[in-house]
Amino acid sequence: MADRRKLTVTSSENVQETDRQFMDKHNVSATIKELLSKLIENRPDDPIRFIATFFETLTVEEKSNDLVNRAIQVLHLTHHSRPVFESNVRAAYDILGKFKVSKKITGVNGLVHSQLLQTLCKDLPSSITIRLLKRLECADYEAVTFDIFKASVFTALVLNDYVAMATSLFVSLDLQHTGKADKNLCDATLEQLKTALGSSRTDVKRIVESSYNLSPDGLYNALDRAMNRQASNGFVTQEQFVQEACETFLSKVKKLK
């Protein structure tokens, strides 16, 4: 009986050891630990979606385009306003650091830097994206430092928020829901936006903070004056309004060179 008990215990320990070896062999434990760590750091609104996205990044092959897509997924794990976002930027930079510049050199260069920014801005009007890329342009085989990379990524993401804000403003001005808004109302709103941003502000983060915090009283008074004008100056489309709003944003973005 004693021998049987000893055999049973020994067999159980072997099974446990085999399970542990299996987990270690496939790096499961380390992966789960990393997932839980990132989940706690980012505290996403939708944890299940966050987990799904995390595992998607692990299945991407390390080709140039795939590396860009993987970096994009990491950047989107949390909003750029969160403190933990910088660690995600670092993770994305490290992912792109595997990009092969040549047979002997790997790292983030101007070419992959542009690919990343284009992907981040894929939903923006092409004319706006082109202008932004010209300001953040690096030579194709120029080494891109982390500080430049971080600033470029942040600017691209803030621009996305800014365009969304401008689009929302236009929708509120399109009183008849025709896709066109009174030019007087649009001009008054754009003028208030420029005033809120201020001529001396060059920090893109402050641009969005200012645009989100437009004075309700100031905006109301400006729109009230515009609506009381007798003569109409015509209409403005959403594309025209957003383009004009982005002029102020883009004028604040400093060229890398």
Side-chain angles (χ1 to χ4, degrees):
M1 182 66 70
D3 291 337
R4 285 186 177 179
R5 289 178 179 174
K6 185 176 181 180
L7 179 61
T8 301
V9 173
T10 304
S11 298
S12 177
E13 289 176 351
N14 287 336
V15 171
Q16 290 178 2
E17 184 179 3
T18 301
D19 290 344
R20 193 179 303 112
Q21 288 176 343
F22 172 79
M23 299 284 279
D24 292 341
K25 177 182 178 181
H26 297 281
N27 202 33
V28 176
S29 298
T31 301
I32 296 299
K33 184 177 180 180
E34 181 184 0
L35 167 61
L36 294 177
S37 176
K38 287 186 175 296
L39 189 64
I40 293 171
E41 285 180 359
N42 289 277
R43 296 186 180 277
D45 294 332
D46 188 345
I48 302 302
R49 184 178 180 83
F50 180 93
I51 292 171
T53 301
F54 175 83
F55 282 115
E56 284 178 6
T57 65
L58 301 179
T59 62
V60 179
E61 297 180 5
E62 293 184 358
K63 300 175 182 178
S64 60
N65 289 334
D66 291 333
L67 287 175
V68 170
N69 291 332
R70 184 178 175 187
I72 293 289
Q73 289 176 321
V74 170
L75 291 172
H76 284 158
L77 287 176
T78 191
H79 192 263
H80 56 76
S81 62
R82 299 282 300 279
V84 72
F85 179 71
E86 184 165 346
S87 66
N88 291 346
V89 176
R90 170 60 72 177
Y93 185 78
D94 291 341
I95 289 171
L96 295 176
K98 299 176 182 178
F99 181 86
K100 289 190 176 182
V101 179
S102 66
K103 291 182 178 180
K104 296 182 179 180
I105 302 175
T106 59
V108 181
N109 63 3
L111 181 61
V112 71
H113 176 254
S114 288
Q115 289 177 357
L116 179 75
L117 294 179
Q118 287 176 12
T119 306
L120 285 174
C121 298
K122 62 183 177 62
D123 295 327
L124 301 184
S126 58
S127 58
I128 295 174
T129 301
I130 290 172
R131 289 195 58 192
L132 177 70
L133 292 177
K134 285 183 178 179
R135 291 188 171 276
L136 303 179
E137 185 178 26
C138 295
D140 283 355
Y141 291 98
E142 178 182 355
V144 177
T145 66
F146 175 71
D147 287 341
I148 289 178
F149 179 83
K150 180 176 67 173
S152 298
V153 166
F154 184 77
T155 301
L157 291 174
V158 170
L159 178 57
N160 275 271
D161 278 2
Y162 186 86
V163 170
M165 177 276 304
T167 301
S168 179
L169 274 177
F170 178 83
V171 170
S172 67
L173 297 175
D174 183 8
L175 304 178
Q176 303 300 322
H177 307 292
T178 61
K180 295 180 179 180
D182 183 84
K183 190 175 186 303
N184 288 338
L185 294 180
C186 291
D187 288 346
T189 302
L190 291 170
E191 188 59 35
Q192 285 298 115
L193 178 59
K194 291 177 182 178
T195 301
L197 298 181
S199 59
S200 62
R201 289 182 173 178
T202 57
D203 185 342
V204 291
K205 183 176 182 180
R206 287 181 175 273
I207 291 177
V208 167
E209 288 176 347
S210 296
S211 64
Y212 280 135
N213 292 287
L214 286 170
S215 168
D217 290 339
L219 187 56
Y220 172 82
N221 291 332
L223 293 176
D224 185 55
R225 290 193 299 270
M227 292 182 70
N228 288 329
R229 294 175 185 171
Q230 294 182 353
S232 174
N233 290 326
F235 295 92
V236 174
T237 65
Q238 178 177 305
E239 180 181 359
Q240 292 171 329
F241 182 86
V242 172
Q243 288 276 2
E244 184 65 26
C246 286
E247 289 294 326
T248 302
F249 181 98
L250 293 170
S251 68
K252 302 293 182 179
V253 178
K254 293 181 179 181
K255 288 186 177 182
L256 292 181
K257 294 184 179 180

